[in-house]
Structure formats: structure tokens, C-alpha cells
Amino acid sequence: MAEATGRVKRELVLDGLDCANCAMKIEDGVKKMEGIASCSVNFVKQTLTYEADGEDDELASKVKHKIKKLEPHINVLDPQTKQGASSGVSRGHGHPHEHGHHHAHGHDHAEAHGEEGHSHGHDHGRGGTKVMAARLLVGAALTAAGMLLQTNAYIELAIFLVAYVVAGGDIVLQAVKNMLRGQVFDEYFLMSLATIGAFGVGQYPEGVAVMLFYQLGEMFQGIAVNRSRKSISAMMDLRPDYANVKTGGDTRRVSPEEVQVGDHIVVKPGEKVPLDGIVIEGSSMVDTSALTGESVPRGVGAGQEVLSGFINKNGVLTIEVSKDFGESTVSKILDLVQNASSKKAATEKFITKFARYYTPVVVIVALLLALVPPLFIQGASFAEWIYRALIFLVISCPCALVVSIPLGFFGGIGAASKSGILVKGSNYLEALNDVKYVVFDKTGTLTKGAFKVTNIHPALEGLDEAALLEIAAHAEYHSTHPIAESIRAAYGKELDETRIEGYDEISGHGVQVKVGGKEVWAGNAKLMEREALPYEKPETAGTIVHIGLDGQYAGYITISDEVKEDAAEAVRTLKEMGKTTVMLTGDARSVGDAVGRSLGLDEIHAELLPQHKVEEIEKLDARKSPKEKIVFVGDGINDTPVLARADIGVAMGGLGSDAAIEAADVVIMTDEPSKVAAAIRIAKRTRAIVWQNIIFALGVKAIFLLLGAFGIATMWEAVFSDVGVTLLAVLNAMRVLKAKA
């Protein structure tokens, strides 16, 4: 995620961006500008992010100007200030939306991240929807009057023309504006050409009806897209609205951004914890489900860490803030989820390219369809074949694909975050479908990373377990190693520092120290060999600390790391899915083998340093086919290089390690290895729904294109095949959100 040297990232809010096709056009246009290194439009979040070489205000205004030129109805805003490049009426996809309602509250609370306001931006503002509905009713009434009244031809034409202008005048206007700017092949052009053509060949009712249906469909499609945007936003509604800061005896309510590290905040029952910190007073149960997907509340008390996004259930907590809002867990998660759709999946990129070439091809085919048969087929009239060509044009609009596919992927990312799995981009969500090897780190990933003394074995006469543990605990008094900590924890009594002298840590071996005047060695087998002490080689799995006392072997202590509750289930599920499971660990071979065998892993590689783990990943890389992917799952403490090297890096317990959140492509908030299989399941469901939409949209279009070309389908069916398919595809894409992990 590191930015290239000297590159600056800027974000702009595209207020009124309602059409995926417009998003595609803007992204293309800005990408080609001089000085722009990369550009991505996030249709769901309504933002444009671009990278430029160096900070340049002139370039920023050029980008805004370019957007206005491409799509005049879009209001370009800066996320921090919400200052627009223009104001007033914002146009949605195909019809003006008066944004009175939206401006009243749409952006006034949108923060620098832009996480909120975006769900209101293009609300098809209540006013806008009402105006559109009124226009459709007037258009429909006039069309009915034109069809029912027996009047002369001129009055009939006049009635239908008024109906046409009321229903779709703005679309024709937009098509003309676009053509003047050299943008010919878009849906405005297709609709205008088809409907004006229908008037040209005397099919007045159909010309108006096509516009009416198209606008109705657009209105419903806008509402459906909006609903799915809102359900995603609501699901990510982690953002705390305020923090109660304690100053002296008072508390005052402030915005989370204003709170400083070290401030004390009070969280009452039912409130969200606004910032990460340590509890200094009080105890309570907290609901962590928003971050972790865990349904069971956990207890917290003084001295324990709490994260922003937790919901306080019963007690009052006083918390000392440890990170400012921008660095807090909630802020990072919101950022990750909302920026996820800027990393596009291959399917999305393919559809964008497809749409770019598809529309011009269709227009050329329609032109040939209108002109060739009347010239070469006996008795074929121009009127009939032009009408068929127009039907062909209406059917061909690629809206369904362009809208529903990004929504499908975004829904998948949303469903995953609901289960405590953060996927950083739809490209990673798509890649999870092709996983062949799942490689786990051991400590902290498959095991809890919490060491415990499980066996004490004295080997000297007159030395019991308690005495051996006491000597070992004093010997390890100064060591910060987790193993030393577990020995001191097992001893559990106050240590007498005056008994300890001459402490010497021997790197890679252990320690040498005097305890109560006696020479003590505590460490691994290598230390015993170095001191020429004949030691026992126990068969037990775990880390062995051997103790030497005054030149004699005194015995050993076994320390084991507990395996996580769901680790065996995680491995079993992955193997059922046909994945190869591998474990890489820096631990001793005996320990690695014992854990690996108990979990049923396919391969176990032990005694590896971080660089050796990378080498093992590279060996797997050489074994797999080009399409297959490797996932590495680690706790992120020393796994950063491996996370970066694997095709998909998954960080466990991303709540803890910032480096892991940076390096990984997927972050599992719950610390459960079984979520890896859940992520793959969600990825498969997302892909299935996306492909259902692609096949459904193209299939229906192909059938109607054939029917249209042979004169069987009329304009009415043509409009259904365009608008109806888009609506159904959007509704299908919304099903992804319901995906259960």
C-alpha cells in the first residue's frame, strides 16, 4: 500500500453520480489526462480517486473541469470542504433530480473520509422522484389520450410530441450535448435515435412508450442501486457520532476527531466506544459484533484494551484514549471497506472494456440492418427495417452489466465484513475462488500464541517440581521472552531479586545466572551440549527448557502453546473444499509435527526463519498451475514479507498488528482460522451471482436481438429487455449481501 515516491493521492466526491456508464466514462477520461498516474471511480461510494506526480492545484482544477465536460450534471466536491465545482440541480441517470432535499442534509455531516454523506448524495431525492413520477403520469395520460381520441393527424402528432417532450425531452437534450462534445455512443444516443426514429416511421405511441418505460425503469433502477448502497452503508455504520470527553468533574460531548491521545472519555451503556484506548475505570460487557462478527459479548475491565466500534452493554467505562480517530480501528476499517471497490476484479475490467467496444458495434449492425435488406430484398420497405433496427438499438444497451457487476462485488465485500472478514479489493475477492494452497503460520494463527507450563520433570535427587520451577523462574527473571514469562506465571509467587546475580543471556541457547549462589543454566538442548551436561530427550510435544544446576542436569520444564478451538475444523473444511493445507513454523520440528499431525495438515515445514518461509512459498509457487493461487495466513508479527509474497495475504487478528493490516489483502478480525474457508465461500457465492447476471443479461439480450431482427419483437419487448434485465440484475446483485459465511 506504500505510495510511489512523490505521488499524491486526491479524492473528489461526484455528487449525483447515478449511472455506472457515466462512472466508466469519467474514469476513462481522467485516466488519459497528462500528469495522472492512475485513476479509479468508485460508483458505489460516488468518489473519484486519482494519483498524480506531485501536488498540483492546477491539475486538480483540470480534473474537475474534465469531469464537468464529460458529465455536466455531476457536482464535483472536495471531501473535506464539500465545495462544489458547480451547484444547483444535479442530474441523475437520464432525468433531472431536484436535489433540494439532498442539499438540506446530504453532506452537512459527511466527514473528511466521506463515509456518510455518500448514501444520500443521489437520493433520487424525494423531490426528484416525485417530479419524475409526475412527468411519467402526464406523459402516460397524454399518450392514452392520443391513442383513444379520434382526431385529425396533426392534432394526434401534436399530442404525442408533447407527451414525448414531457417524458423524455431531457434525454434527447443530453444526447445532443454529448454529441457536440464528440461522445456519440451512449445510452442517451441509443434511446433518442430509437424513439425519434419511431416517430419518423409513424409509430408515435411506441416512440413515447419507449421513453416512458425507459424513464420508469431508470427511476426504479436508481432506487434499487440506492437501496443496495444504503444497506452496505448501514452495515458499515460503525462510525461513532460523538465522544464524551472528561475534563475535571465535567464531561462534554465532542466529535471523535477532536479527541487527543491521552484524553479520558466516558462511555455509557448503549453507546459506541468512539476511539481505541485502555479502560482505566469501570467494567462492562461489550458487543464486538460490528468489528468481529462475534455474537457473544465479552467482558472488559480496568487495564484492558477496547477498540472503537465496540458497543458498551451495561456498565459505565472511563477510557484513556491511545490512538487519535484517524488511526483508530473503526476509521481504518471504514477506509478499507470503502476503498475496496477501487481495486477492480478482472471480471469488472472485462465488462468495462466489453461495453466500450460493444455499443459502436451494435450501432453499425443496426445501421446495416436498416439499409441492407430494403436494398437487396424484394418487397422489403425502409419503414419496416428502420423500425427493426431501432428495436435492435434499444435492446443492445449494456446497462445491466455495467451496473450490476460492481454492485455484486461490493455486496460480497460487504457480506464478508459482516462476518468479520475485511477484503481489501474485489480483485482479492475474485482471486479467492482460485485458491489451491492455504499456508498457515503456526504461533498465533493455528495456536493461541499463549504459552503455558504443561509438565515439570525434576532429574536430581532431592529436587521436587516446586523447587525446580522456583529455580527456573528466578533464572528467567530478567528475560522478556514469552517462554520466560510463562515460567514466571506458572511459579506465580513474588521473586526475590537479591538472590540473582551475574545474569548472562546466551543468544540462541538460553541463560546462565547465579541463583542463591548456585550456578544455573536454563535453555535448549544446545545449551546443555555446550556445557557438556548429559540431558534427557523427552518425547512430549512442546518447547523444552532444560535446567542445569552446579554442573549437574536438574531436569526439564515443558511449555506448550494451546491450539485454537476452531483450528481443526478450519483445516477439515479447507480439505473438504479440495485445498492443500500447509504449515510453516519457526518452532522446533517436534512441536511443529505434533501440532500439524493433531490438526491433519497435508504438509509441515518447521524450524524456519522469516526468509525461509518466503522460500517455501516460492517452492509452492513453482508447483502450482498459473491459474491457481496461494493464500498465506499469519498473525502478522513477523510475517509481513510472507504476507506480501503470497498471492493473497491473510492477517489473523488484524485488530492487533498494524503492519499486518498494511501488508495483508484480507484481514480476519476474529482471530479464527475457520474464517479463511468462510471467505472462500463468500467469494464463490459472489462469483456465482456475478456470472448469473452476465449470462442472464447477455442471454436475454441475444434472444431479443434475434426476435427484433426478424421483426417478431416490438419496441415494448425491447424496453423490457433493457430496463427489466437491469432491474432484475441489480436485485440479484443485492442477494450477495445476504451471503452467510
Side-chain angles (χ1 to χ4, degrees):
M1 302 229 309
E3 286 179 20
T5 334
R7 286 219 175 140
V8 176
K9 239 189 186 161
R10 295 268 311 248
E11 183 178 74
L12 297 169
V13 176
L14 305 178
D15 182 22
L17 176 68
D18 264 7
C19 112
N21 208 28
C22 315
M24 193 170 87
K25 255 190 297 191
I26 292 170
E27 186 174 299
D28 269 2
V30 175
K31 213 176 254 171
K32 289 175 189 151
M33 287 175 68
E34 208 176 315
I36 299 285
S38 70
C39 163
S40 172
V41 172
N42 184 330
F43 172 63
V44 183
K45 194 180 153 197
Q46 286 182 293
T47 57
L48 175 141
T49 311
Y50 69 87
E51 267 188 284
D53 303 321
E55 186 67 67
D56 184 353
D57 287 335
E58 196 186 332
L59 182 64
S61 63
K62 277 184 185 165
V63 169
K64 288 181 185 179
H65 182 71
K66 180 77 171 175
I67 297 166
K68 293 301 292 175
K69 194 177 160 199
L70 290 168
E71 294 296 332
H73 67 277
I74 283 174
N75 219 359
V76 186
L77 306 159
D78 288 313
Q80 285 80 359
T81 58
K82 299 288 175 204
Q83 293 303 308
S86 75
S87 59
V89 177
S90 167
R91 245 185 111 283
H93 184 164
H95 39 275
H97 294 318
E98 278 141 39
H99 263 333
H101 151 72
H102 150 63
H103 284 304
H105 74 281
H107 281 314
D108 56 357
H109 62 289
E111 300 297 341
H113 285 290
E115 37 268 10
E116 301 250 89
H118 74 271
S119 63
H120 308 281
H122 51 280
D123 220 3
H124 280 257
R126 287 166 209 157
T129 309
K130 277 184 187 157
V131 170
M132 195 62 234
R135 281 172 56 193
L136 292 175
L137 282 171
V138 171
L142 287 169
T143 308
M147 288 165 78
L148 297 172
L149 294 173
Q150 300 298 316
T151 58
N152 71 30
Y154 292 111
I155 294 174
E156 188 186 347
L157 175 60
I159 291 172
F160 280 118
L161 272 175
V162 173
Y164 180 78
V165 171
V166 169
D170 58 316
I171 286 185
V172 180
L173 194 66
Q174 187 63 38
V176 172
K177 280 183 186 167
N178 286 359
M179 282 166 74
L180 292 174
R181 288 200 307 268
Q183 294 169 357
V184 181
F185 300 121
D186 61 11
E187 65 275 31
Y188 304 125
F189 171 75
L190 292 180
M191 294 312 301
S192 306
L193 185 63
T195 51
I196 292 168
F199 269 81
V201 295
Q203 302 282 354
Y204 311 145
E206 290 202 359
V208 181
V210 166
M211 270 305 179
L212 285 171
F213 275 121
Y214 178 73
Q215 293 278 43
L216 185 68
E218 291 298 306
M219 191 169 82
F220 283 133
Q221 179 192 312
I223 292 166
V225 167
N226 215 22
R227 283 281 304 279
S228 62
R229 271 176 171 166
K230 278 195 174 142
S231 53
I232 290 162
S233 307
M235 193 179 64
M236 290 314 299
D237 186 21
L238 297 166
R239 197 177 195 295
D241 302 316
Y242 59 87
N244 303 313
V245 175
K246 198 172 183 179
T247 41
D250 297 340
T251 59
R252 57 194 176 87
R253 184 176 280 203
V254 299
S255 137
E257 279 89 344
E258 292 173 38
V259 182
Q260 307 287 316
V261 172
D263 282 357
H264 289 183
I265 54 172
V266 176
V267 184
K268 300 178 187 127
E271 290 184 334
K272 276 185 201 147
V273 175
L275 298 108
D276 297 7
I278 307 290
V279 177
I280 51 171
E281 202 181 300
S283 64
S284 179
M285 297 301 281
V286 288
D287 173 358
T288 66
S289 60
L291 298 189
T292 62
E294 276 306 308
S295 51
V296 183
R298 53 167 104 152
V300 292
Q304 285 180 288
E305 187 186 19
V306 285
L307 298 169
S308 50
F310 286 2
I311 296 167
N312 186 14
K313 299 295 268 186
N314 46 12
V316 176
L317 297 173
T318 305
I319 296 162
E320 183 173 310
V321 175
S322 60
K323 286 180 185 168
D324 61 32
F325 184 71
E327 287 301 304
S328 67
T329 306
V330 134
S331 183
K332 283 189 170 168
I333 291 171
L334 286 167
D335 233 25
L336 282 181
V337 172
Q338 287 173 335
N339 292 324
S341 54
S342 62
K343 290 180 182 161
K344 293 188 169 64
T347 312
E348 278 182 272
K349 287 181 180 159
F350 158 72
I351 290 300
T352 309
K353 274 200 185 122
F354 171 81
R356 195 176 309 146
Y357 297 112
Y358 168 84
T359 314
V361 167
V362 163
V363 172
I364 293 160
V365 171
L367 203 60
L368 294 172
L369 197 62
L371 300 177
V372 175
L375 295 175
F376 295 100
I377 298 172
Q378 195 76 36
S381 73
F382 271 104
E384 186 194 342
W385 283 96
I386 288 171
Y387 180 64
R388 288 188 189 185
L390 296 173
I391 291 168
F392 190 86
L393 278 181
V394 176
I395 296 166
S396 67
C397 200
C399 293
L401 296 175
V402 180
V403 175
S404 66
I405 286 157
L407 264 181
F409 280 112
F410 199 83
I413 289 167
S417 65
K418 224 172 176 172
S419 306
I421 305 160
L422 290 180
V423 184
K424 284 196 192 174
S426 39
N427 51 342
Y428 304 122
L429 192 67
E430 190 161 55
L432 281 168
N433 282 286
D434 302 321
V435 168
K436 174 64 182 154
Y437 294 99
V438 181
V439 183
F440 291 98
D441 173 44
K442 179 180 76 74
T443 310
T445 303
L446 291 171
T447 63
K448 290 179 179 172
F451 293 94
K452 271 178 149 172
V453 171
T454 50
N455 184 22
I456 304 168
H457 182 82
L460 263 183
E461 221 170 288
L463 193 71
D464 63 4
E465 289 183 10
L468 183 63
L469 184 59
E470 185 181 344
I471 292 164
H474 280 83
E476 298 281 11
Y477 180 80
H478 291 293
S479 174
T480 55
H481 196 283
I483 287 172
E485 284 172 18
S486 62
I487 290 174
R488 294 197 295 271
Y491 179 60
K493 296 176 197 159
E494 197 71 41
L495 292 168
D496 181 359
E497 197 180 346
T498 57
R499 294 178 60 194
I500 304 158
E501 53 188 324
Y503 177 86
D504 179 21
E505 193 151 331
I506 305 156
S507 180
H509 291 72
V511 298
Q512 180 178 1
V513 62
K514 279 192 169 170
V515 178
K518 291 182 175 178
E519 199 72 48
V520 177
W521 291 269
N524 55 21
K526 283 190 265 183
L527 181 67
M528 296 297 107
E529 285 161 12
R530 191 184 112 148
E531 297 302 323
L533 294 175
Y535 63 95
E536 289 180 34
K537 292 180 185 169
E539 286 302 305
T540 55
T543 303
I544 309 295
V545 177
H546 296 282
I547 313 290
L549 187 63
D550 273 347
Q552 287 179 289
Y553 182 65
Y556 64 83
I557 294 172
T558 309
I559 289 145
S560 299
D561 185 4
E562 286 179 272
V563 171
K564 284 185 185 172
E565 286 81 359
D566 71 328
E569 179 207 338
V571 173
R572 191 182 68 248
T573 314
L574 288 166
K575 286 173 87 166
E576 280 168 9
M577 288 177 163
K579 316 297 175 202
T580 305
T581 53
V582 181
M583 183 174 82
L584 307 179
T585 177
D587 219 331
R589 178 146 284 122
S590 59
V591 179
D593 285 349
V595 170
R597 275 200 306 273
S598 71
L599 296 175
L601 289 149
D602 297 315
E603 294 177 31
I604 303 150
H605 304 278
E607 296 177 9
L608 304 173
L609 293 169
Q611 65 268 30
H612 299 148
K613 290 184 181 178
V614 175
E615 284 164 21
E616 288 298 334
I617 294 274
E618 279 167 355
K619 282 182 202 164
L620 287 176
D621 202 33
R623 263 166 55 187
K624 72 180 180 63
S625 77
K627 197 176 177 323
E628 290 172 341
K629 300 272 190 280
I630 299 170
V631 167
F632 176 77
V633 191
D635 64 348
I637 308 298
N638 56 1
D639 298 324
T640 316
V642 207
L643 283 169
R645 176 63 189 84
D647 295 313
I648 306 160
V650 178
M652 294 294 289
L655 293 183
S657 165
D658 287 352
I661 286 194
E662 293 295 318
D665 308 312
V666 178
V667 181
I668 292 177
M669 308 296 286
T670 57
D671 235 0
E672 297 169 299
S674 58
K675 291 284 187 193
V676 177
I680 293 172
R681 268 200 298 274
I682 290 173
K684 284 194 182 312
R685 185 178 159 91
T686 305
R687 177 183 269 187
I689 286 178
V690 163
W691 277 102
Q692 280 165 17
N693 279 345
I694 291 174
I695 291 161
F696 168 64
L698 291 179
V700 171
K701 284 194 185 299
I703 292 163
F704 278 97
L705 283 172
L706 279 172
L707 294 176
F710 289 115
I712 302 165
T714 66
M715 279 281 185
W716 307 85
E717 282 103 336
V719 172
F720 165 75
S721 96
D722 175 34
V723 174
V725 167
T726 306
L727 253 175
L728 292 172
V730 167
L731 294 170
N732 192 34
M734 288 174 72
R735 284 176 46 228
V736 184
L737 276 169
K738 306 285 181 286
K740 286 280 176 284

